[in-house]
Amino acid sequence: MNVQPGLDQFLSLEAPLPRPRRRRGLRLAALAAAVLAIGFVGVRYFYPHAVEGEVLRPGMLDVELQGPGTLSALTEASVGSRIQARIEELAVDRNDVVAKGETLARLAFDDLSGEFDAAEASAHAAERTVSVAQAERDRAVATLEKARATHERQVALLAKGVASEAGLEDALATRRQAEADLARAGRAVEQAEAERDAATARIAVARAQLDDSVLRAPISGVVVSRTHHVGEVLTPGSEVLHLVDPASLVLTARLDESVISAVLPGQAARVTFTRAEDPISGHVLRLRREVDEETREFEIDITLDTLPANWALGQRAMARIMIERRGPVLTVPTSFLVWCDGRPGVWVATRARARWREVTLGEAGAKRVEIRRGLDAGQKILKPGDLYPFMRVRLAGPAT
């Protein structure tokens, strides 16, 4: 009868036995977490990480200005048609090199030959008309001289009482008629000469049109574009070919107006074209005396010592103009700068720990920038990467 309560009491006493096992598991987990935390902290703050960098030392700095630009030409020409005609022949194509005066294209102008022949025929006829009119004028001059002499003789005879009044009047009428004939002959000569000049002008027009049907190179250079093909009909003013003198190619670069006083003709420059391996040297040719009202930029022309293997008008490039050589000054690579809340700074290694140091920048060069305040010679500067404050570091070597 009393067996069951004893069993229940036994069972109630044995139930709490698994709890010590859970406590042991929690203690092991906490120990493992502590070990991991200690390992993480050790790796993060006590294990030295190799970081690229350099020891800061004074050196020379080439102060440069940088600006984008496009390739343009100082000598170029557009070859087009002055008449409406069909292209009969194209002697050149893109990339062809041509000499000044070389025939580039011929236009078919079917009515031109007939107009030229007609103009020449009219000129010959007008020349003959001038000759006939001049002969008539010479005859009128001779007739007038005879009439004048007769009239003067009749006046003398009338004074002696030998001639009559009627004879004098007839001589005077003959003289006046001769004078009128001479005036008419003179006007005929003038009209004939005017017709001859008009015919000559028509010949000049026809010859000019004939010359316009042959398109010649106005400059020596390279054909950079062709906009029409054989068989197409051109209207007056249509461009057929565009020529450029490669010797006149320049890079037109844009700079902010704030540096206009620092740029002078003759300054050394380096130009890097898109995808070019090495920069091309050159120098500033001239400054353009106009500032864009919207961008507040001005343009400069840079002549190139050599041209890229493949060039094209309008090709983009980056220009660097050296305006000053300063030194010795402290400089850091521009890739080492790290901005924090709009302030420039550099990671430095102090007592083998990484720390960010705010700096004051000075002049800038192609790859380095002057540090005016914030760093001292001999300090170790680090290349940015996965750095964080108080990270244990060791200098692995110069940054690349």
Side-chain angles (χ1 to χ4, degrees):
M1 297 293 294
N2 296 327
V3 176
Q4 185 64 34
L7 180 59
D8 292 340
Q9 184 178 8
F10 175 77
L11 292 176
S12 63
L13 293 174
E14 291 297 327
L17 290 179
R19 290 182 180 176
R21 295 182 180 177
R22 285 201 296 269
R23 291 195 185 97
R24 286 195 299 270
L26 292 175
R27 285 197 296 269
L28 290 175
L31 180 60
V35 171
L36 290 176
I38 294 172
F40 173 78
V41 171
V43 171
R44 186 171 177 83
Y45 292 103
F46 295 99
Y47 176 78
H49 299 267
V51 180
E52 293 181 347
E54 63 180 61
V55 178
L56 191 62
R57 289 187 173 86
M60 302 303 294
L61 175 66
D62 292 334
V63 181
E64 295 183 339
L65 298 176
Q66 176 178 320
T70 55
L71 195 64
S72 59
L74 301 180
T75 303
E76 55 185 326
S78 175
V79 180
S81 174
R82 295 182 180 178
I83 59 176
Q84 183 168 341
R86 176 176 51 83
I87 301 177
E88 186 177 48
E89 177 187 354
L90 271 175
V92 296
D93 202 349
R94 298 181 184 91
N95 297 332
D96 287 347
V97 179
V98 299
K100 183 177 181 180
E102 182 179 341
T103 298
L104 306 179
R106 295 183 184 275
L107 308 180
F109 192 25
D110 298 334
D111 298 334
L112 184 59
S113 298
E115 290 183 4
F116 185 78
D117 294 340
E120 281 192 328
S122 297
H124 293 322
E127 189 66 37
R128 289 193 296 270
T129 301
V130 169
S131 299
V132 172
Q134 289 175 344
E136 289 294 327
R137 185 183 59 184
D138 293 341
R139 185 186 64 79
V141 170
T143 300
L144 177 59
E145 290 176 353
K146 182 178 179 181
R148 185 181 293 117
T150 300
H151 176 255
E152 292 174 354
R153 187 169 53 253
Q154 288 295 325
V155 171
L157 292 176
L158 181 62
K160 293 178 181 181
V162 177
S164 63
E165 290 286 343
L168 180 60
E169 292 178 355
D170 291 340
L172 179 59
T174 301
R175 177 177 178 174
R176 289 176 176 173
Q177 182 63 43
E179 289 175 346
D181 292 342
L182 179 59
R184 185 168 56 252
R187 288 192 295 272
V189 170
E190 292 176 355
Q191 182 177 358
E193 289 177 344
E195 292 178 354
R196 180 194 61 189
D197 294 341
T200 302
R202 286 194 293 272
I203 290 178
V205 171
R207 182 176 288 111
Q209 290 180 333
L210 185 61
D211 292 339
D212 289 340
S213 66
V214 180
L215 305 183
R216 295 181 173 85
I219 61 172
S220 297
V222 177
V223 180
V224 296
S225 69
R226 188 192 72 181
T227 56
H228 291 83
H229 303 275
V230 174
E232 294 185 13
V233 177
L234 302 177
T235 57
S238 299
E239 182 185 80
V240 181
L241 303 166
H242 193 79
L243 307 181
V244 165
D245 181 6
S248 72
L249 289 176
V250 296
L251 185 82
T252 302
R254 301 183 301 277
L255 300 173
D256 189 80
E257 65 176 348
S258 61
V259 299
I260 191 170
S261 61
V263 182
L264 298 173
Q267 288 175 333
R270 292 183 299 126
V271 176
T272 303
F273 286 90
T274 304
R275 298 184 182 276
E277 295 182 358
D278 299 318
I280 296 175
S281 60
H283 65 274
V284 177
L285 175 64
R286 63 185 182 184
L287 284 71
R288 300 192 181 184
R289 302 300 182 181
E290 185 177 9
V291 174
D292 189 279
E293 295 182 356
E294 295 184 1
T295 64
R296 309 311 304 173
E297 293 177 330
F298 71 100
E299 294 182 336
I300 61 173
D301 290 332
I302 299 174
T303 57
L304 306 176
D305 293 342
T306 58
L307 292 177
N310 295 315
W311 58 266
L313 288 182
Q315 184 177 359
R316 294 179 299 177
M318 184 61 68
R320 298 181 183 273
I321 302 96
M322 190 177 76
I323 60 173
E324 183 184 1
R325 187 173 178 84
R326 302 188 61 184
V329 294
L330 294 179
T331 63
V332 300
T334 53
S335 59
F336 278 33
L337 293 177
V338 178
W339 297 80
C340 180
D341 296 331
R343 298 171 299 160
V346 177
W347 284 99
V348 298
T350 303
R351 296 180 181 178
R353 300 286 183 180
R355 290 178 173 83
W356 182 83
R357 183 75 58 82
E358 183 179 353
V359 297
T360 300
L361 303 180
E363 301 291 348
K367 296 182 179 180
R368 302 184 72 88
V369 61
E370 178 187 4
I371 301 297
R372 293 184 175 175
R373 284 192 300 272
L375 297 177
D376 297 317
Q379 283 188 298
K380 298 176 181 179
I381 57 176
L382 306 175
K383 182 179 180 181
D386 298 329
L387 299 177
Y388 48 86
F390 303 106
M391 174 181 177
R392 190 172 181 84
V393 295
R394 60 180 177 85
L395 202 62
T400 57

